[in-house]
């Protein structure tokens, strides 16, 4: 079932504007910059904004389009986008005009766009304020064993019953969700973040979007505080962290991200640090890590200077240390979060993807494991002395790693290269690969999430004509395939709200 977030009047207005633009005077040929801009204003601005910052459609700025090839953008203009309101312009515009338009949207605007307090406040949508919807779920299921599956192929989310592995509901999301959705501590609400800066709060009891706000123009991810009171957004554009009250997504604070001498930085990501009652932010352009706490409705920043630029964080279970990947792609730095000092420097030569690391008990001690973006390897690290105890060779660089406390196995995909359709299964005690699956030859197989009990797991076939595959976690046998449109991440309510050791947080 598709659900539209915009108030009807706004949707109608946009549709009328779009209709008017399509009926406008004969299409211009775009042979100068001015003509292309005029074409943009005529055909695109009603949905994507006169300033390209987005509206009903996504923002069309180079930062936001970095993941879409220009030829794909041309195709979208020519053919439209199925399951969205993007129409086909193939009959209206010449091939040259389409190419000129596609080129235009990849150029930076003359004036750097602004997204400050006023823009954030103006974007706020509150269709169902707290307390206005019933407190009982509208369907029957173990509410702790629900999964959300993000389908990036057509920007939808599917809600799955984790006992029956049957879809319960499917709804439209904002364009290009990225990073894990974050649940409220009781599991009733979930917060999604889109690359375009939208935060959506969704009520899983009532299957409705209850609040939305746009935190930035190009956002990385969001985090929800352990007490469930706050949501924080990390932006690339502008260089800000933004704090909201989690109840209705009301704006609380905009934090400019800069060092003592006024150099500003993109924020790579923000994470909740539950035992510390704080947020931790990774900064892309200045060698600092930030710890942010909230007092009297304001964010307070504690700066930790780091030896180098650190990205992509992982934390030990007590949140005493953070492990960050150095920009050189060859090291992991371990920072003591109380002192801010670097306590270890790990050789991790293949650009580790620490964000997808997991931990488990191995011979009486805790280890963490991470795949690498550039090398076909999984590093296993002793978390007592921060030494790499094993480097497992895989059939190519991986993206995501997963396990569950109740499972003897860890799963890692081979996301890049000729073996992108393979997934390795690692025995957590022998530290050996015991099985390699190739569920859909030629198609990327990636990202696993277990059910709350660790008995079954879901794996994505990352394709428009894809599926989520259900496996038995012990026998490793396939049980069924649920067709989906480029399913990416899967997120189990219980595992997330209990900070299960085998999954991301
Ligand atoms: Fe992600 C999580 C960074 C590209 C899919 N990704 C994250 C997180 C970070 C991150 C910091 C953790 C935040 C969180 O969950 O709150 N990702 C980056 C990058 O820097 C990188 C390499 C480049 C970029 O342009 O952003 C990148 N990521 C991708 C993709 O290409 C993926 C495969 C497809 C997509 O949707 O863009 C992708 N990233 C994901 C997913 C998660 C994620 C599915 C959540 C994983 C989870 O299980 O929690």
């Amino acid at each position: 079932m598709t659900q539209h977030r915009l108030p009807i009047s706004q949707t109608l207005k946009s549709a009328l504007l779009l209709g008017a633009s399509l009926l406008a005077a004969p299409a211009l040929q775009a042979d100068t910059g001015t003509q292309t801009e005029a074409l943009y204003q005529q055909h695109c601005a009603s949905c994507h904004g006169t300033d390209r910052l987005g509206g009903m459609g996504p923002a069309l700025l180079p930062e936001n389009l970095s993941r879409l090839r220009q030829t794909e953008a041309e195709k979208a203009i020519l053919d439209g986008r199925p399951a969205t309101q993007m129409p086909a312009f193939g009959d209206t515009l010449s091939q040259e005009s389409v190419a000129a338009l596609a080129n235009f949207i990849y150029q930076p605007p003359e004036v750097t766009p602004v997204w400050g307090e006023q823009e954030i406040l103006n974007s706020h949508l509150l269709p169902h304020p707290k307390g206005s919807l019933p407190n009982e779920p509208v369907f029957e299921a173990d509410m702790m064993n629900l999964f959300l599956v993000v389908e990036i192929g057509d920007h939808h989310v599917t809600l799955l019953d984790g006992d029956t592995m049957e879809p319960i509901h499917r709804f439209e999301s904002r364009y290009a969700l990225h990073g894990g959705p974050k649940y409220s501590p009781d599991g009733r609400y979930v917060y999604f973040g889109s690359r375009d800066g939208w935060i959506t709060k969704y009520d899983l009891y009532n299957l409705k979007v209850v609040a939305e706000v746009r935190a930035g123009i190009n956002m990385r991810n969001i985090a929800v505080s352990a007490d469930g009171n706050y949501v924080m957004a990390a932006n690339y554009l502008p260089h800000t962290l933004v704090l909201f009250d989690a109840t209705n997504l009301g704006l609380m604070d905009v934090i400019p991200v800069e060092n003592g001498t006024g150099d500003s930085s993109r924020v790579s990501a923000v994470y909740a640090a539950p035992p510390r009652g704080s947020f931790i932010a990774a900064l892309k352009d200045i060698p600092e890590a930030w710890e942010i706490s909230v007092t009297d409705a304001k964010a307070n920043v504690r700066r930790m200077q780091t030896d180098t630029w650190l990205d992509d964080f992982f934390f030990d279970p007590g949140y005493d240390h953070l492990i960050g990947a150095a920009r050189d792609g060859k090291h992991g730095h371990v920072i003591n979060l109380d002192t801010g000092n670097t306590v270890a420097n790990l050789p991790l030569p293949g650009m580790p993807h620490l964000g997808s690391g997991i931990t488990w008990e191995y011979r009486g001690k805790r280890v963490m494991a991470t795949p690498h973006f550039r090398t076909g390897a999984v590093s296993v690290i002793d978390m007592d002395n921060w030494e790499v105890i094993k480097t497992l060779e895989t059939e190519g660089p991986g993206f995501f790693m997963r396990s569950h406390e109740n499972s003897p196995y860890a799963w890692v995909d081979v996301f890049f290269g000729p073996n992108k359709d393979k997934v390795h299964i690692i025995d957590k005690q022998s530290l050996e690969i015991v099985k390699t699956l190739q569920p859909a030859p030629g198609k990327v197989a990636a990202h696993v999430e277990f059910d709350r009990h660790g008995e079954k797991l879901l794996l994505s076939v990352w394709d428009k004509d894809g599926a989520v595959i259900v496996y038995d976690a012990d026998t490793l046998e396939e049980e069924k395939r649920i067709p989906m449109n480029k399913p990416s991440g899967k997120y189990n309510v219980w595992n997330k709200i209990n900070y299960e050791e085998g999954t991301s947080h």
Side-chain angles (χ1 to χ4, degrees):
M1 197 186 306
T2 293
Q3 192 169 317
H4 298 284
R5 298 162 309 273
L6 286 170
I8 286 176
S9 56
Q10 206 174 330
T11 312
L12 270 178
K13 196 173 135 213
S14 304
L16 288 173
L17 280 169
L18 178 69
S21 72
L22 290 173
L23 293 172
L28 295 165
Q29 283 294 324
D31 37 33
T32 70
T34 319
Q35 283 175 330
T36 309
E37 165 114 41
L39 268 187
Y40 175 87
Q41 296 302 339
Q42 183 186 351
H43 294 295
C44 320
S46 58
C47 290
H48 295 282
T50 50
D51 42 16
R52 295 197 269 148
L53 293 190
M56 189 165 66
L60 298 178
L61 297 167
E63 290 87 349
N64 301 66
L65 294 168
S66 62
R67 311 189 58 71
L68 185 76
R69 282 195 295 272
Q70 203 164 314
T71 47
E72 289 170 17
E74 281 181 28
K75 195 168 171 329
I77 301 171
L78 277 171
D79 303 339
R81 273 187 181 275
T84 74
Q85 305 200 32
M86 172 74 187
F89 288 91
D91 294 338
T92 323
L93 294 172
S94 67
Q95 186 74 43
E96 295 74 32
S97 297
V98 169
L101 271 174
N103 186 51
F104 171 71
I105 60 177
Y106 283 82
Q107 307 308 316
E110 277 171 21
V111 181
T112 307
V114 172
W115 202 263
E117 204 176 305
Q118 205 49 53
E119 289 77 14
I120 298 171
L121 288 170
N122 292 345
S123 72
H124 191 205
L125 301 167
L126 192 57
H128 299 287
K130 169 101 174 149
S132 61
L133 290 173
N135 290 324
E136 291 297 319
V138 294
F139 57 93
E140 273 185 33
D142 174 358
M143 298 301 284
M144 289 291 113
N145 201 21
L146 299 176
F147 285 89
L148 287 172
V149 186
V150 172
E151 293 178 68
I152 55 176
D154 62 353
H155 313 283
H156 276 68
V157 176
T158 291
L159 176 67
L160 267 188
D161 181 327
D163 290 346
T164 61
M165 294 297 181
E166 290 293 331
I168 296 170
H169 186 57
R170 189 170 192 264
F171 53 97
E172 194 181 349
S173 74
R174 285 281 170 182
Y175 181 82
L177 297 183
H178 179 240
K182 306 294 179 323
Y183 293 101
S184 60
D186 62 0
R188 169 170 176 177
Y189 298 100
V190 61
Y191 301 82
F192 299 97
S194 82
R195 287 191 185 260
D196 268 2
W198 282 100
I199 305 175
T200 301
K201 178 175 180 180
Y202 190 84
D203 181 348
L204 289 172
Y205 284 14
N206 292 287
L207 304 178
K208 283 190 164 61
V209 171
V210 293
E212 288 196 297
V213 69
R214 191 174 184 190
I217 298 170
N218 187 233
M219 190 173 76
R220 299 294 293 163
N221 79 325
I222 54 169
V224 174
S225 61
D227 59 11
N229 289 337
Y230 309 111
V231 177
M232 188 166 279
N235 285 324
Y236 261 10
L237 185 68
H239 294 180
T240 52
L241 282 154
V242 190
L243 180 70
F244 298 92
D245 83 75
T247 309
N248 286 330
L249 293 182
L251 176 63
M252 293 176 67
D253 208 355
V254 180
I255 311 153
V257 178
E258 47 189 44
N259 65 10
T261 54
D263 300 320
S264 69
S265 174
R266 293 168 289 174
V267 187
S268 295
V270 62
Y271 308 86
R276 309 178 72 84
S278 61
F279 294 101
I280 312 275
L283 310 188
K284 188 97 183 159
D285 308 309
I286 54 182
E288 293 181 6
W290 285 13
E291 178 162 32
I292 304 128
S293 47
V294 184
T295 36
D296 299 330
K298 286 279 162 208
N300 307 297
V301 176
R302 175 183 156 237
R303 292 155 187 275
M304 287 168 273
Q305 315 289 334
T306 53
D307 296 347
T308 182
W309 294 264
L310 295 182
D311 217 347
D312 199 10
F313 289 176
F314 187 75
F315 299 89
D316 59 2
Y319 285 76
D320 299 314
H321 298 90
L322 82 74
I323 305 101
R327 192 192 272 182
D328 68 5
K330 295 181 179 151
H331 295 93
H333 288 233
V334 184
I335 314 282
N336 179 312
L337 281 171
D338 291 329
T339 64
N341 294 333
T342 304
V343 296
N345 194 331
L346 306 171
L348 295 172
M351 198 175 192
H353 188 206
L354 294 171
S356 79
I358 55 169
T359 81
W360 68 86
E361 283 291 310
Y362 169 74
R363 299 188 184 167
K365 52 181 155 187
R366 186 143 293 263
V367 295
M368 69 164 282
T370 174
H372 291 254
F373 276 134
R374 288 203 198 126
T375 314
V378 167
S379 301
V380 185
I381 300 154
D382 181 333
M383 297 186 91
D384 289 339
N385 59 17
W386 300 111
E387 279 180 8
V388 179
I389 55 174
K390 175 125 189 185
T391 305
L392 257 157
E393 209 176 298
T394 61
E395 292 194 34
F399 215 112
F400 301 106
M401 196 156 178
R402 275 294 194 280
S403 186
H404 189 284
E405 194 184 356
N406 297 338
S407 169
Y409 304 114
W411 292 57
V412 64
D413 48 60
V414 179
F415 201 88
F416 305 97
N419 297 313
K420 62 185 184 193
D421 51 5
K422 293 190 181 161
V423 177
H424 297 299
I425 302 165
I426 299 165
D427 182 312
K428 290 183 342 195
Q429 294 313 313
S430 70
L431 305 185
E432 297 294 346
I433 293 172
V434 289
K435 193 164 182 177
T436 296
L437 302 173
Q438 191 185 25
K443 295 181 177 175
V444 172
H447 194 285
V448 160
E449 175 85 336
F450 284 72
D451 72 348
R452 66 175 284 189
H453 310 291
E455 290 169 359
K456 307 221 183 282
L457 59 93
L458 304 176
L459 169 72
S460 293
V461 176
W462 206 282
D463 193 86
K464 286 228 163 226
D465 191 15
V468 155
I469 308 182
V470 183
Y471 286 94
D472 182 296
D474 289 327
T475 64
L476 310 178
E477 292 301 322
E478 178 175 333
E479 293 199 340
K480 71 171 178 181
R481 290 185 185 212
I482 309 164
M484 297 219 186
N485 192 337
K486 222 174 183 188
S488 64
K490 282 86 55 204
Y491 308 90
N492 179 271
V493 173
W494 173 266
N495 292 345
K496 296 298 177 194
I497 66 177
N498 289 291
Y499 291 86
E500 217 289 323
E501 67 180 24
T503 192
S504 62
H505 302 135

